[in-house]
């Protein structure tokens, strides 16, 4: 396991996006669990920027969303 220490949330977003792009290059039918919320904004912005710049396709990628619900009555 490689541990990367970042000083800002923007650095974290960039590192995470680079990781996903590298995995996508390795495995075209990648499955991604995508979280919601403000924490993920820098990651999604960087992922979009890299994808546009490098013309990366997500055609074969499958995603599912991860959400947290606390104290919601059923």
């Amino acid at each position: 396991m490689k541990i990367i220490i970042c000083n800002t949330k923007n650095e974290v977003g960039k590192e995470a996006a680079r990781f996903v792009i590298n995995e996508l290059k390795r495995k075209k039918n990648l499955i991604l669990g995508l979280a919601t919320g403000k924490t993920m904004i820098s990651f999604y912005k960087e992922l979009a920027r890299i994808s546009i710049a490098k013309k990366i396709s997500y055609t074969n990628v499958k995603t599912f969303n991860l959400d947290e619900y606390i104290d919601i009555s059923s």
Side-chain angles (χ1 to χ4, degrees), residues 6-51:
C6 300
N7 293 317
T8 68
K9 62 183 175 184
N10 288 334
E11 287 179 30
V12 172
K14 287 180 180 183
E15 288 294 333
R18 283 188 213 120
F19 177 83
V20 169
I21 294 296
N22 287 335
E23 288 299 304
L24 182 57
K25 288 177 184 176
R26 203 174 59 77
K27 185 176 181 182
K28 300 295 182 200
N29 62 342
L30 198 60
I31 299 173
L32 296 174
L34 301 174
T36 59
K38 292 180 182 177
T39 303
M40 302 305 295
I41 291 173
S42 64
F43 166 69
Y44 292 135
K45 282 184 178 181
E46 185 64 11
L47 197 61
R49 188 194 69 73
I50 294 171
S51 300

